[in-house]
Structures are given as C-alpha cells and as structure tokens.
C-alpha cells in the first residue's frame, strides 16, 4: 500500500511539473520615441461649417460647465457653455436619466453658435478649449455606451463660423466599460 501511494505521489509530481513551462518568455521593453510623430495629413478630414444663429433659449436647461474667452478679438468675451435637459433637485443634484438632450453652444453678444444639440443616451460630453498658434479650437469627447467620438471645432474668422471635423469616431458594437468621470 505504501509502495502504491509512493508511486502515485511520484507520478502526480512528474505529471504536474513536467507539463508546466519552467521559464517565462522575456518581456519586450517598449522602444522610446526619439522624434515626436506628426499628425497624419495624408487623410483629409471633411469639415462642416457651423454658422452663427439667433440667440437660443437656454432658460429650461441645466448649465453643466462654461468658459469665457474672447476668441474673435472683439473686446467681449464669448461664453462657451454645455447644458442638459436633466433638471436639478432641491439639493442641487442633477436628476440624470439614462438619456437626455444636451446642448453645446458658444454665446456671443448678439448671436449663438450651436455646436451640438442632440439626445445623448447613456453617456456624456466633455469639452476642451485651446489655441494652436493663433487659431482658436474647441474639442469635444463624446463617450456613450455604444460610441466614442472626438470632434474638433475650429473658429474661422474670415467666415465668422466654426469649422467642425471629426478625426475619430467608433460606433456599432462598442461596449464602453469605464469613463474617468461623468455627470
């Protein structure tokens, strides 16, 4: 009996250790980038012109974020604002649903630029304001459970319009797993 038990222990040991990999594959270290990579300008991205409109009524909307900046150099700061139709409760907490209308606008003295006006299902929109050289830009990242979109709005002073382009968009069978924060 002891002999049978000893044979079983040896057999299991040989089988267990003989079937595993004794050495791990070496991990390849990433190669540092010596030179920054330029944006790919071979692929032209279509631009859509967004012209100014009459003032838009935002009285029934909840302001989420805004930033003031005089991008057209007229001496008056324009207001870049993002709103939602979701209302605040008595404690000031937004009563989010699984979807609501969002409005992203630039308010000038006597006109507005409506950059986005749509229903957002299970997601949110963040915006970033920046300049490249002397050109004024706004970027939005629109993350939803079934899509992810980066949109760039560049102000064209000659046309008094924003030129919208979408350099990155993925949709369809997308499963957004994590967003860093959200409304």
């Amino acid at each position: 009996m002891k002999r049978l038990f000893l044979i079983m222990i040896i057999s299991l040991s040989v089988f267990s250790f003989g079937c595993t990999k004794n050495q791990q594959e070496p991990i390849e270290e990433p190669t540092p980038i010596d030179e920054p990579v330029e944006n790919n300008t071979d692929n032209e991205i279509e631009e859509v012109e967004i012209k100014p409109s009459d003032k838009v009524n935002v009285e029934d909307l909840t302001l989420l974020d805004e930033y003031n900046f005089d991008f057209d150099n007229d001496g008056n700061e324009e207001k870049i604002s993002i709103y939602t139709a979701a209302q605040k409760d008595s404690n000031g907490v937004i009563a989010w649903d699984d979807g609501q209308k969002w409005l992203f606008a630039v308010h000038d003295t006597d006109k507005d630029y409506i950059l986005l006006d749509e229903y957002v299902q299970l997601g949110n929109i963040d915006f970033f304001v920046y300049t490249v050289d002397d050109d004024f830009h706004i970027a939005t990242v629109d993350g939803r459970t079934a899509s992810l979109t980066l949109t760039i709005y560049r102000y064209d002073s000659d046309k008094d319009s924003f030129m919208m382009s979408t350099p990155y968009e993925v949709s369809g069978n997308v499963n957004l797993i994590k967003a860093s924060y959200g409304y």
Side-chain angles (χ1 to χ4, degrees), residues 49-79:
E49 183 176 2
I50 299 173
K51 296 179 180 184
S53 65
D54 292 335
K55 300 296 284 178
V56 64
N57 182 3
V58 295
E59 186 175 300
D60 294 333
L61 299 175
T62 300
L63 177 67
L64 298 173
D65 196 6
E66 67 181 2
Y67 184 74
N68 297 328
F69 188 80
D70 182 16
F71 63 83
D72 60 5
N73 298 315
D74 66 354
N76 297 314
E77 288 188 337
E78 289 72 36
K79 188 177 293 190

Side-chain angles (χ1 to χ4, degrees), residues 3 7 17 32 35 47 55 63 68 89 94 129 140-142 149 162 173 181:
R3 187 173 189 174
I7 290 173
F17 294 112
E35 298 283 326
E47 286 188 321
K55 300 296 284 178
L63 177 67
N68 297 328
D89 66 15
I94 297 175
V129 177
T140 59
V141 176
D142 181 343
T149 305
F162 278 92
N173 191 16
Y181 67 93

Side-chain angles (χ1 to χ4, degrees), residues 27-135:
I27 297 174
E28 186 175 321
E29 293 293 321
T31 306
I33 298 174
D34 294 331
E35 298 283 326
V37 179
E38 292 292 323
N39 290 336
N40 183 1
T41 56
D42 295 340
N43 298 331
E44 288 295 318
I45 298 171
E46 180 184 346
E47 286 188 321
V48 175
E49 183 176 2
I50 299 173
K51 296 179 180 184
S53 65
D54 292 335
K55 300 296 284 178
V56 64
N57 182 3
V58 295
E59 186 175 300
D60 294 333
L61 299 175
T62 300
L63 177 67
L64 298 173
D65 196 6
E66 67 181 2
Y67 184 74
N68 297 328
F69 188 80
D70 182 16
F71 63 83
D72 60 5
N73 298 315
D74 66 354
N76 297 314
E77 288 188 337
E78 289 72 36
K79 188 177 293 190
I80 303 150
S81 305
I82 193 159
Y83 305 89
T84 183
Q87 297 297 306
K88 291 183 180 180
D89 66 15
S90 60
N91 294 324
V93 177
I94 297 175
W96 292 107
D97 199 350
D98 61 350
Q100 46 272 313
K101 177 185 171 183
W102 286 60
L103 177 74
F104 184 46
V106 177
H107 304 289
D108 204 341
T109 306
D110 56 351
K111 59 191 169 196
D112 286 342
Y113 302 88
I114 307 304
L115 304 183
L116 179 133
D117 182 8
E118 65 184 69
Y119 186 82
V120 175
Q121 180 77 29
L122 298 172
N124 68 32
I125 300 168
D126 298 309
F127 73 91
F128 306 85
V129 177
Y130 62 99
T131 59
V132 176
D133 297 322
D134 290 330
D135 291 334

Side-chain angles (χ1 to χ4, degrees), residues 19 81 94 154 183:
C19 293
S81 305
I94 297 175
R154 177 185 54 83
Y183 296 106

